[in-house]
Amino acid sequence: MASSQQTVLSHREVLLDWLSVNPTPLLRWLMDAGVLDHDQFRMVLERSPANRVANVLEHVCSSEKNSAKFLQVLQQVQGFYSTQLQDWVTQHCGQTSVETPPKSTQDTGEGTLTNTTQHCSQTSTRTTPTTQYIGEHLQRKSKPKSPLSKLFGKNKFTLPKDKVDNQVSQKKLKSSGFRAQKSWILKEDFLSHIQLFSSPSPSLSLYAAAVNAHKSTVLHQTERLVSYSEGGEQDTSSHAHIDIRYTELFVTEDEEQPSDGQHEYFALASRRSPIYPHHICRFIHPRDLLNPNPHTGCSPQRVKVKGIAGIGKSVAMQRIMYEWALGKHLQNFTCVFDLRFRELSLIDGPISLRELLASRFLHLQYVLSDLFEDSRSLLFILDGLDEFRHHLDWYCEDLMLTVESQVSVSKLLVSLIKGNLLPKSSVILTTRPSTDAPKRLFPRCCVVLGFQEKHVEEYTMKFYKDPQVAKKVYNYIEKNDSLFALSFIPLYCYIICSALAEFFSSGHNNKQSLDINPPRTVSEVYYCYLYTTIKHHALKDKAETANLPRSRVLALVKAQLVNLGRLAYENLLRNRILFDQKDLEKFSLNPTGIRSTFLSQILVSLKEKKEMFAFFHLTIQEYLAALFCVVNLTGHAEILSGLDYWCFGELRSPAKSPPFTLNFLPAGDDLERPRVENLQMFTRFFSGLLRARLARLLDGMLEFRLEADDGPMALSSLLGDWFRSQFMSRNLPNQTALNLLHCLMELHMQETTSRAAPEIRKLNLFKMKLSVVDCTAVNYVLKFSEHSLEELNLGYSNIGNRGLSRLGPILHRCKSLYLRYNCLGTDAAILESAVLRSEDCQVKKLFMCGNKLGPEGARALWAALEHNKTVEEVYLDITGITESGTENMVQCLRKSTALKSLTVVGNDLGEAGWARLAELRQVRSDLRVIGHFVDDLALMEAYLGWVEEMRSDRDQLDSVKNADALHSVLIGLRLREGSGLNAVKAKELETKIMELLNHSEKSTLRTI
């Protein structure tokens, strides 16, 4: 018998011919088998398909070991290739087959296309047309074009309208513009593919051939990530290959309560803290979304994945499709259908599921009946609910539909998601938080939080080909709070890396190409991104303009940017993100001009039959909208009236329409509250760009001088008075107050902030889930006030040690400082102890409950309180204080004459610790020491209120820290028995906590 090496060597030419058609499966499986390492894999991807296979065969033939593994891999991927290759594999590799994975959604391990093929071949093909019939019609050259054919280019295969199973009507497809799946298989290739499977002894049925063709198409569509540097197209280099560029995302259970009045970017940015190791969050790979519940073993059939725009939802779904088509994961599903709501929005009129799938997946239209027969093996990925323009009625009466039922696309989707249609199939739905679907419909709800810190670095290293440049960029991002806090959003990370490339590239000489410093704020990052895009794409063919000053560069593209900005602004006010040709023409924009100019880097063509355009990221639309408003300002009054409208939805008399708009809004004069909330990022961009205008960074785009039409008062003073009046006269919601602080930081005008800051006497950001950049904004504004702050409430804000360190300079001025449940650790206690030692310390009440301060943190606080003259009350409930944490407690607190109340309930102080607490009571009889819950009736009443709050809002309990805290309270209640009313309250508290925890555990078993 010939060796493996001899077998491969003697058949190199035919193997090259067969494998060059689709080398991707072979390469990935060879890398996973260890035949290629990562660097070799990347190097091979740079070659043409034929050269890739030739290079691999040369490498494989270099050793017997590699040749043997190569033949094993061929057995696993043979289903991607022709029957000639499969017959060759049978002849030369024996009958060995890989064990078929169990029929369970738990399987996420490696599979083989052969497994799918074997499953397919067992399915009845009683209703499928003959191969001969398909072949005859595929070869017709003069047949009239069908609706399906119009969705393809000239080289794509077409099918006869009259013979398509339950054909979609011509009128419906034409009116909808719904896009059929792009097939990379040419007409003659598809014919050859089908005819191969109709040989006298076929290894695959027509059914299996269709499914494998679908997999090959999916694989081709998903193997590369979109590059916005290519105008929204696929980058053909290895740099953009999904196996090279893809960076793991942080996906976990969605345990957050809906945000109240918070722009979705800030709501999710505020969840940065769970990414730190203060929480125990279950990391979920996208491929594991349908894995069984670890507690019950039951697999969820409906999964919702929530995340803001640009967080990576679609890329995660692309990864799922790629891994399935490659035969690596989710092999329990015979077929996966990916449907985008953006495309589904284009369907008008009734349609059936069969028609919908037949129009989208042309390879599968003849075998849909067989697929529907075993619907348990079908997975639907519904991507981008937020982009669906039709109304979805989640609370309508259930419709019992079949795959033939003709209904509106809205009813069809609701029935599919609710399980009234194909109830045994599985569905993954992605959506933004602002457009949500009821949790009750989904046994598992997940949220994409973007990158972890290590993945920000990984992404940056992958972004640049020069590792030295990558390291410099990452170091700069890491040291800048504003940039680092935003970099966990993948698309922000892309924009930041693109903006910083000019400053750190090896060929960059003293930063002269941009004539500005590296960006520090969000507005500056977007300015740099836009400017570098203009330089690299608008001027790339104009050598004589390479050294033009910035103002001249901006002047060259002024008309295009102003028109684009007006489009962005007027549609932002209407919550519109998709535009057709008529929309563009209203703003003097030409689709052809967009595709052929630098605008293609900003406004991306969606390439439907009815071509649609969208800004590649919502924040790009917000930024350009703000840019349009800033460059069109003529006077100070316009700035103030604009802020009134954008921040509060109020029009100043005699205005009848929003600032800088040509038309009334459909909703009337006043902006509805949801739309005001969605303008929060816009107002920050406006503030930052206003500063850029005053710094003359927008010269070249300006039509008018900014006249001081409000009298001799400087603009900075006018703005300061406007901000001050908001803090004085309005009862500001927490998120609105925080947004105004961010606007002040983006403005960065000392006079403005100095006028506004003294009016902030109390700042309540309770449950706001603050990011590090939020803390930086709070500190920036409050440092301009000399007054003490009556109260700073940051309870349940998840600021973490890093966030607290940003607030350090102002903490000593807070009379009442609430830091409860903030993911703080020992370092935070040490920082706070330095605050208490300050000679200027004004803190009277300190709440640090629910933080893991530990014994070292406790000792630092006792030492700081020893000489403190202001602190009267300290609350350290459930802070992880142990016996060793009480070693210096008596010695220090006996000298703390100001301290009047100390609460340390919920801590395991140990025998020596409780003895020291008793000693402290003796030496400080005037000090109220609460060591057990039963010692204080008011404390138990407070905890009862907390439990009732969680009982009425279950989402609040769905947090590891709250559940752990309740267990700590239970332990504390059982340490000591009370008497009288205290004992009754203690029993009531214990009972209610037990009920709440039991309900939570049962809910957990029903979900996940």
Side-chain angles (χ1 to χ4, degrees):
M1 180 182 291
S3 67
S4 298
Q5 190 174 16
Q6 291 172 333
T7 300
V8 178
L9 276 169
S10 60
H11 295 86
R12 282 182 61 174
E13 294 304 318
V14 291
L15 289 172
L16 179 62
D17 289 340
W18 292 331
L19 296 171
S20 296
V21 176
N22 184 17
T24 297
L26 174 70
L27 298 181
R28 168 62 187 275
W29 280 77
L30 286 175
M31 183 176 70
D32 290 348
V35 178
L36 299 175
D37 61 28
H38 187 271
D39 290 337
Q40 290 171 326
F41 178 71
R42 182 167 187 163
M43 180 185 68
V44 169
L45 287 176
E46 293 287 356
R47 302 175 182 271
S48 67
N51 286 337
R52 290 174 193 172
V53 178
N55 186 263
V56 166
L57 289 174
E58 181 179 355
H59 174 72
V60 163
C61 292
S62 63
S63 72
E64 173 66 20
K65 179 180 178 182
N66 283 344
S67 297
K69 287 186 176 180
F70 173 78
L71 294 179
Q72 291 174 2
V73 166
L74 276 188
Q75 293 182 72
Q76 296 170 313
V77 301
Q78 58 179 297
F80 285 102
Y81 303 99
S82 66
T83 50
Q84 288 101 321
L85 174 64
Q86 295 174 42
D87 291 339
W88 185 91
V89 169
T90 302
Q91 180 181 353
H92 294 88
C93 303
Q95 301 297 324
T96 305
S97 62
V98 179
E99 183 180 352
T100 303
K103 185 75 172 173
S104 166
T105 51
Q106 184 172 4
D107 170 51
T108 58
E110 294 187 357
T112 68
L113 198 69
T114 310
N115 293 335
T116 304
T117 296
Q118 290 169 350
H119 172 70
C120 294
S121 63
Q122 295 170 5
T123 308
S124 170
T125 57
R126 60 189 181 279
T127 61
T128 56
T130 65
T131 303
Q132 178 183 1
Y133 182 85
I134 298 175
E136 290 173 356
H137 283 80
L138 284 171
Q139 296 182 81
R140 289 181 183 176
K141 296 182 179 180
S142 59
K143 67 175 176 60
K145 286 189 175 182
S146 70
L148 291 173
S149 69
K150 294 179 182 180
L151 298 173
F152 287 87
K154 294 181 180 179
N155 292 329
K156 303 299 187 289
F157 73 89
T158 57
L159 293 169
K161 172 181 176 296
D162 58 330
K163 298 299 181 182
V164 174
D165 194 10
N166 288 289
Q167 189 65 260
V168 184
S169 70
Q170 182 173 0
K171 181 179 180 181
K172 188 181 303 176
L173 278 177
K174 185 174 181 179
S175 65
S176 71
F178 187 72
R179 179 176 63 175
Q181 183 184 47
K182 289 183 180 179
S183 172
W184 64 279
I185 301 179
L186 300 181
K187 178 165 54 180
E188 53 271 22
D189 291 336
F190 181 74
L191 174 61
S192 174
H193 192 61
I194 295 294
Q195 287 176 336
L196 284 171
F197 292 141
S198 63
S199 57
S201 56
S203 59
L204 296 178
S205 67
L206 178 63
Y207 177 96
V211 172
N212 284 347
H214 172 61
K215 284 194 171 187
S216 294
T217 302
V218 169
L219 195 60
H220 181 77
Q221 291 175 335
T222 58
E223 65 181 336
R224 296 186 181 279
L225 298 176
V226 170
S227 172
Y228 294 104
S229 64
E230 303 297 326
E233 298 290 344
Q234 287 188 334
D235 186 343
T236 56
S237 71
S238 67
H239 195 59
H241 195 281
I242 194 167
D243 279 323
I244 301 296
R245 188 69 172 270
Y246 181 79
T247 305
E248 202 63 65
L249 294 166
F250 189 95
V251 183
T252 189
E253 286 90 359
D254 183 17
E255 298 172 342
E256 290 295 301
Q257 54 188 339
S259 61
D260 182 17
Q262 196 172 17
H263 187 291
E264 62 177 37
Y265 290 101
F266 314 136
L268 204 67
S270 69
R271 296 192 62 177
R272 189 82 184 95
S273 54
I275 300 178
Y276 294 114
H278 303 102
H279 275 180
I280 304 172
C281 290
R282 189 167 77 90
F283 181 91
I284 302 174
H285 286 282
R287 64 174 180 263
D288 298 333
L289 289 171
L290 293 163
N291 272 15
N293 182 323
H295 300 287
T296 65
C298 296
S299 300
Q301 288 183 280
R302 300 293 184 271
V303 176
K304 180 175 70 173
V305 180
K306 184 172 74 174
I308 65 172
I311 200 67
K313 303 183 300 296
S314 294
V315 174
M317 296 305 105
Q318 180 178 340
R319 182 72 175 184
I320 287 175
M321 293 294 296
Y322 175 74
E323 295 284 340
W324 169 76
L326 198 61
K328 285 292 178 182
H329 300 288
L330 294 172
Q331 294 307 288
N332 48 294
F333 292 107
T334 301
C335 199
V336 180
F337 303 100
D338 61 313
L339 297 168
R340 299 182 181 93
F341 280 98
R342 179 183 287 172
E343 297 172 0
L344 295 171
S345 290
L346 302 176
I347 298 176
D348 294 314
I351 191 171
S352 70
L353 182 63
R354 180 187 294 276
E355 291 173 341
L356 175 63
L357 298 181
S359 66
R360 175 69 174 87
F361 306 101
L362 300 186
H363 284 308
L364 301 174
Q365 54 193 308
Y366 289 104
V367 297
L368 286 175
S369 295
D370 300 301
L371 291 170
F372 294 147
E373 188 75 20
D374 184 19
S375 61
R376 189 182 297 275
S377 67
L378 303 182
L379 170 61
F380 292 86
I381 294 180
L382 307 178
D383 188 27
L385 174 63
D386 48 282
E387 296 181 342
F388 193 58
R389 67 181 177 89
H390 301 298
H391 173 67
L392 292 171
D393 187 357
W394 301 109
Y395 302 97
C396 65
E397 183 179 352
D398 290 346
L399 301 175
M400 304 313 295
L401 304 181
T402 70
V403 295
E404 315 292 351
S405 301
Q406 296 268 338
V407 293
S408 68
V409 67
S410 299
K411 292 181 179 179
L412 185 72
L413 292 170
V414 169
S415 295
L416 181 63
I417 293 168
K418 293 173 72 172
N420 304 131
L421 175 61
L422 295 182
K424 294 182 179 180
S425 66
S426 296
V427 174
I428 298 177
L429 173 79
T430 74
T431 179
R432 281 166 52 184
S434 56
T435 311
D436 216 346
K439 271 190 172 184
R440 62 182 175 80
L441 301 179
F442 302 90
R444 175 172 292 156
C445 295
C446 297
V447 60
V448 183
L449 297 179
F451 292 147
Q452 294 177 275
E453 289 183 37
K454 62 181 180 181
H455 293 138
V456 173
E457 182 175 12
E458 179 185 339
Y459 180 90
T460 307
M461 298 304 293
K462 290 178 176 179
F463 188 88
Y464 301 96
K465 293 183 178 180
D466 186 340
Q468 296 301 320
V469 172
K471 191 65 177 175
K472 289 178 183 177
V473 170
Y474 178 72
N475 288 340
Y476 184 80
I477 293 173
E478 189 179 32
K479 293 174 182 176
N480 186 296
D481 285 337
S482 295
L483 303 189
F484 192 72
L486 293 171
S487 63
F488 79 96
I489 300 175
L491 206 45
Y492 269 135
C493 208
Y494 165 82
I495 290 172
I496 291 170
C497 288
S498 299
L500 293 178
E502 284 277 312
F503 298 96
F504 296 98
S505 63
S506 56
H508 186 59
N509 184 22
N510 295 324
K511 306 181 179 65
Q512 291 304 310
S513 67
L514 283 177
D515 196 28
I516 50 177
N517 294 318
R520 297 161 297 171
T521 67
V522 180
S523 299
E524 290 175 356
V525 166
Y526 277 71
Y527 178 91
C528 291
Y529 176 77
L530 179 63
Y531 188 69
T532 53
T533 298
I534 293 169
K535 286 205 68 174
H536 290 169
H537 296 278
L539 309 180
K540 62 182 179 181
D541 297 324
K542 303 176 182 179
E544 68 278 8
T545 63
N547 297 315
L548 285 177
R550 180 179 55 249
S551 60
R552 181 62 181 143
V553 171
L554 293 177
L556 290 173
V557 295
K558 170 186 171 182
Q560 293 164 303
L561 284 180
V562 169
N563 291 334
L564 198 62
R566 184 183 291 276
L567 169 76
Y569 176 62
E570 295 215 5
N571 285 284
L572 182 66
L573 296 183
R574 292 168 171 80
N575 277 341
R576 290 190 62 208
I577 61 172
L578 289 175
F579 321 108
D580 58 20
Q581 183 170 340
K582 289 183 180 179
D583 295 324
L584 299 182
E585 290 171 350
K586 289 178 185 177
F587 298 93
S588 303
L589 293 168
N590 185 292
T592 303
I594 289 174
R595 288 188 292 267
S596 61
T597 67
F598 79 99
L599 295 180
S600 65
Q601 316 300 308
I602 300 168
L603 201 61
V604 180
S605 171
L606 305 182
K607 297 182 180 176
E608 316 296 349
K609 180 185 174 185
K610 178 184 178 182
E611 188 171 29
M612 304 293 287
F613 291 85
F615 293 94
F616 80 79
H617 193 240
L618 177 60
T619 53
I620 293 292
Q621 182 174 350
E622 292 169 316
Y623 180 81
L624 288 170
L627 178 65
F628 166 76
C629 293
V630 169
V631 299
N632 282 281
L633 289 169
T634 59
H636 295 174
E638 282 184 327
I639 299 174
L640 303 183
S641 61
L643 290 173
D644 281 344
Y645 185 76
W646 300 320
C647 293
F648 303 103
E650 299 172 355
L651 281 175
R652 287 192 176 190
S653 180
K656 299 298 183 182
S657 62
F660 307 110
T661 58
L662 301 176
N663 306 300
F664 293 101
L665 288 179
D669 293 341
D670 289 342
L671 202 61
E672 298 171 349
R673 184 184 173 193
R675 280 191 254 169
V676 170
E677 294 158 3
N678 288 336
L679 290 178
Q680 290 171 358
M681 181 62 101
F682 165 85
T683 57
R684 298 185 193 184
F685 281 141
F686 178 84
S687 301
L689 282 165
L690 181 58
R691 179 162 66 98
R693 173 167 177 166
L694 297 175
R696 308 200 63 179
L697 293 178
L698 300 180
D699 285 3
M701 291 189 64
L702 305 177
E703 286 282 354
F704 314 101
R705 245 182 104 239
L706 196 57
E707 300 291 344
D709 49 7
D710 299 281
M713 184 176 285
L715 176 60
S716 59
S717 299
L718 281 172
L719 286 169
D721 288 347
W722 184 88
F723 279 99
R724 181 174 62 183
S725 68
Q726 312 314 313
F727 289 111
M728 285 178 58
S729 59
R730 294 183 188 268
N731 183 19
L732 296 173
N734 294 1
Q735 179 57 41
T736 303
L738 180 62
N739 191 53
L740 293 179
L741 298 181
H742 273 283
C743 290
L744 285 168
M745 185 171 72
E746 290 287 338
L747 275 169
H748 228 77
M749 294 181 180
Q750 183 172 342
E751 172 67 20
T752 299
T753 311
S754 296
R755 282 178 174 259
E759 295 303 325
I760 305 174
R761 298 301 180 93
K762 287 186 177 182
L763 189 59
N764 182 3
L765 301 177
F766 183 62
K767 290 186 179 179
M768 282 295 296
K769 308 281 192 322
L770 305 177
S771 67
V772 175
V773 72
D774 292 327
C775 296
T776 302
V778 172
N779 174 68
Y780 169 78
V781 174
L782 294 183
K783 73 181 181 182
F784 283 94
S785 174
E786 297 179 355
H787 302 296
S788 60
L789 202 63
E790 292 296 324
E791 177 183 299
L792 178 61
N793 191 344
L794 303 177
Y796 286 88
S797 295
N798 288 2
I799 60 176
N801 294 344
R802 185 167 180 159
L804 186 67
S805 69
R806 298 302 182 270
L807 295 167
I810 62 161
L811 294 179
H812 69 281
R813 292 194 288 108
C814 305
K815 290 185 177 180
S816 294
L817 183 56
Y818 295 85
L819 300 173
R820 297 174 294 183
Y821 294 95
N822 259 303
C823 300
L824 302 176
T826 300
D827 290 344
I830 294 172
L831 186 151
E832 185 59 35
S833 67
V835 171
L836 300 181
R837 285 193 177 93
S838 169
E839 293 182 358
D840 300 324
C841 180
Q842 300 173 45
V843 178
K844 291 186 175 181
K845 295 181 180 180
L846 176 62
F847 296 79
M848 298 194 76
C849 322
N851 296 297
K852 296 182 180 180
L853 307 182
E856 183 182 352
R859 291 194 298 269
L861 288 173
W862 308 143
L865 288 168
E866 181 176 1
H867 301 293
N868 179 277
K869 305 297 183 184
T870 63
V871 177
E872 298 175 356
E873 301 176 24
V874 175
Y875 299 86
L876 298 176
D877 317 15
I878 317 172
T879 50
I881 304 175
T882 61
E883 187 175 284
S884 64
T886 63
E887 289 174 354
N888 62 336
M889 180 178 64
V890 178
Q891 175 187 349
C892 296
L893 297 190
R894 72 191 306 167
K895 302 175 184 178
S896 179
T897 56
L899 189 63
K900 297 177 182 178
S901 178
L902 172 67
T903 303
V904 290
V905 300
N907 292 296
D908 185 8
L909 301 183
E911 185 176 347
W914 294 118
R916 288 168 185 147
L917 206 63
E919 181 183 354
L920 180 61
R921 288 191 180 99
Q922 292 179 348
V923 300
R924 283 288 310 274
S925 57
D926 60 325
L927 176 62
R928 188 165 179 246
V929 179
I930 305 174
H932 297 282
F933 287 98
V934 294
D935 293 344
D936 191 82
L937 189 61
L939 181 66
M940 286 189 288
E941 290 284 6
Y943 272 89
L944 276 169
W946 181 51
V947 171
E948 285 301 318
E949 183 181 342
M950 282 187 280
R951 183 191 296 273
S952 60
D953 184 2
R954 299 287 180 177
D955 287 330
Q956 185 175 335
L957 179 59
D958 293 337
S959 169
V960 173
K961 60 181 181 294
N962 279 345
D964 288 347
L966 288 173
H967 282 292
S968 297
V969 173
L970 277 180
I971 294 172
L973 286 170
R974 294 164 181 170
L975 286 175
R976 180 173 175 179
E977 293 185 5
S979 60
L981 184 56
N982 284 28
V984 174
K985 283 293 179 186
K987 188 63 178 177
E988 180 185 357
L989 178 58
E990 180 180 357
T991 301
K992 290 191 174 182
I993 290 176
M994 288 294 296
E995 291 175 353
L996 196 57
L997 287 174
N998 288 337
H999 183 277
S1000 176
E1001 289 171 1
K1002 290 177 181 178
S1003 298
T1004 301
L1005 292 177
R1006 289 195 299 267
T1007 58
I1008 303 184

